Amino acid sequence: MINLRNLQLKEMETLIKSMGQPAFRAKQVFSWIYKGVTDFDQMTNVPKVLRDKLAEETYIGRLKMLKVQKSKTDGTRKYLYELEDGNTIESVFMKYKYGNSICVSSQAGCRMGCRFCASTRNGLERDLTAGEILSQLMEAEADTGEKIGHIVIMGTGEPFDNFDNVAAFLRIVNDKNGLNIGMRNITVSTCGLVPMIERFAEEFPQVNLAISLHGTTDEIRGSMMPVNKKYPLDVLIPACKAYTEKTGRRITFEYTMVNGVNDSDADAARLAGLLRGMLCHVNLIPLNKVAESGFDTVSRKRAGEFAEILESKGIPATVRRELGADIDAACGQLRLGN
Ligand code: SAH
């Protein structure tokens, strides 16, 4: 059976033509799906014979919502879903002044091994399909009754380790006939898989890119992120620079601050040096607690001081607003299973 939420409009046209129906029917079906319809019989402008055929050979894949946690302070909701094969994933719905945003997972688990992050604790189970990434948004819209206009691919998983499915997801959510979410309203965050940064610049120059940096020397970054062995700073930073030059888009560097590891004045000065002259912005994230990690967080005051040092050296910096901390929904706290 084909999950229709995995299909880009073009692919749906091919399928529907193979069912002996004209291509324009695909647009109708596609737009029903992204209005939230999950029953073919509700697609009232689609002929019965096609609805029956679709019901025989395809389905509209949903996620089973196992749990919803609602923050008492800021409207954040964390969802735990079960996939068809029994794996579980989480996503987070957030309210901002500019509108609603969803943080989606791109993999069940993660194999990047960052030492401060809960999502990678049990390794990678598997990649998510485009439809499974999409359904996280659809289910959150259905649950809240609200439209979601912004997406961050910052949940569990490394999106650039699942590039093809993430790419299909981006094309589907961006389609005018469906959700029509602008590329500029979407952010993809990567731990720094360099060849994929190049591919991303080529294929998705409008989508915002965030890079998880977290360290200013190979020694420090390597102690936090195993991926630094494969793509050390003298490879990553030039790739980032090339990205900004090619696309004209600003990169957001995420910098999770860990007490005594990467939070000194010297770290701030080195960070400013690394990023000097690049079209970028630094987003400081005081480490969120992850039970097993053994790392310590910093105060928001210290993060503010660190930001000031960066600013004084000409690097724009902000401290990330923390949403959903009371329900363990903050960065690095999403995990496989529960
Ligand atoms: N794999 C992608 C997507 C994850 S995004 C990436 O690495 O970018 C989640 C962001 O939260 C990343 O910047 C990640 O490094 C950061 N993060 C992970 N664990 C964290 C923690 N315990 N506290 C604060 N930030 C954390």
Side-chain angles (χ1 to χ4, degrees):
M1 293 275 269
I2 299 168
N3 177 2
L4 293 182
R5 280 191 185 157
N6 280 330
L7 302 188
Q8 298 170 47
L9 181 55
K10 277 257 161 314
E11 296 166 329
M12 204 174 291
E13 282 172 1
T14 307
L15 175 76
I16 282 184
K17 280 195 275 185
S18 80
M19 293 174 165
Q21 292 277 339
F24 78 90
R25 295 283 178 209
K27 231 178 231 174
Q28 296 177 323
V29 174
F30 191 88
S31 88
W32 281 115
I33 293 175
Y34 295 108
K35 279 196 189 103
V37 161
T38 50
D39 176 355
F40 293 114
D41 281 332
Q42 292 175 322
M43 302 182 174
T44 46
N45 59 356
V46 175
K48 177 94 168 90
V49 27
L50 178 55
R51 280 186 267 145
D52 289 346
K53 187 97 175 145
L54 286 169
E56 260 166 47
E57 295 179 18
T58 73
Y59 67 105
I60 299 167
R62 303 213 37 196
L63 301 174
K64 185 168 162 204
M65 197 178 282
L66 295 181
K67 192 160 142 193
V68 192
Q69 286 168 272
K70 298 180 187 173
S71 165
K72 293 197 172 55
T73 53
D74 55 33
T76 302
R77 293 188 189 194
K78 180 165 83 164
Y79 297 103
L80 174 69
Y81 296 111
E82 185 178 300
L83 307 175
E84 285 165 26
D85 64 358
N87 273 306
T88 56
I89 53 165
E90 294 185 314
S91 30
V92 181
F93 169 88
M94 292 164 288
K95 294 183 93 66
Y96 288 96
K97 278 201 203 76
Y98 54 74
N100 297 323
S101 176
I102 183 97
C103 174
V104 295
S105 293
S106 56
Q107 296 179 311
C110 180
R111 60 186 179 128
M112 294 299 128
C114 298
R115 288 186 46 215
F116 47 89
C117 181
S119 302
T120 193
R121 275 299 131 151
N122 300 315
L124 176 69
E125 282 297 331
R126 67 169 173 85
D127 290 338
L128 299 188
T129 63
E132 287 168 334
I133 305 173
L134 236 151
S135 290
Q136 296 172 56
L137 182 153
M138 298 300 294
E139 299 295 348
E141 282 196 345
D143 178 62
T144 57
E146 294 189 38
K147 274 273 153 218
I148 293 172
H150 296 257
I151 303 172
V152 294
I153 309 184
M154 293 193 182
T156 296
E158 168 48 47
F160 283 180
D161 191 36
N162 182 20
F163 198 105
D164 290 342
N165 290 337
V166 167
F169 162 78
L170 293 173
R171 296 199 171 99
I172 299 170
V173 292
N174 181 240
D175 197 307
K176 288 189 300 301
N177 302 288
L179 293 166
N180 193 20
I181 296 178
M183 291 296 192
R184 288 184 181 238
N185 286 2
I186 307 174
T187 301
V188 174
S189 178
T190 178
C191 65
L193 303 182
V194 167
M196 296 299 138
I197 295 174
E198 290 157 10
R199 186 171 162 198
F200 193 67
E202 197 69 51
E203 294 182 29
F204 296 100
Q206 302 293 320
V207 176
N208 305 300
L209 178 64
I211 304 272
S212 297
L213 192 58
H214 309 328
T216 54
T217 66
D218 283 329
E219 198 191 341
I220 299 172
R221 190 167 190 266
S223 76
M224 302 171 75
M225 305 175 71
V227 70
N228 193 70
K229 286 208 177 57
K230 193 150 184 202
Y231 303 111
L233 290 170
D234 62 355
V235 176
L236 176 61
I237 297 297
C240 291
K241 195 151 202 176
Y243 170 91
T244 59
E245 283 161 6
K246 185 175 169 115
T247 60
R249 307 291 316 280
R250 179 181 303 273
I251 290 183
T252 296
F253 285 98
E254 295 161 286
Y255 192 92
T256 293
M257 293 185 67
V258 185
N259 185 25
V261 174
N262 64 0
D263 65 332
S264 69
D265 290 0
D267 288 298
R270 261 196 313 269
L271 182 55
L274 266 183
L275 303 183
R276 185 161 298 131
M278 206 191 303
L279 189 54
C280 71
H281 168 263
V282 174
N283 200 215
L284 299 167
I285 318 170
L287 179 84
N288 294 305
K289 269 224 155 30
V290 171
E292 316 85 335
S293 87
F295 285 130
D296 232 8
T297 191
V298 302
S299 63
R300 285 193 80 81
K301 177 166 169 286
R302 178 61 197 149
E305 290 162 4
F306 199 92
E308 269 171 36
I309 300 175
L310 292 172
E311 292 272 354
S312 75
K313 296 182 186 297
I315 306 290
T318 47
V319 181
R320 183 171 290 182
R321 216 180 120 208
E322 191 180 63
L323 292 177
D326 62 326
I327 51 172
D328 278 358
C331 305
Q333 294 184 316
L334 302 191
R335 55 177 73 226
L336 187 63
N338 223 345

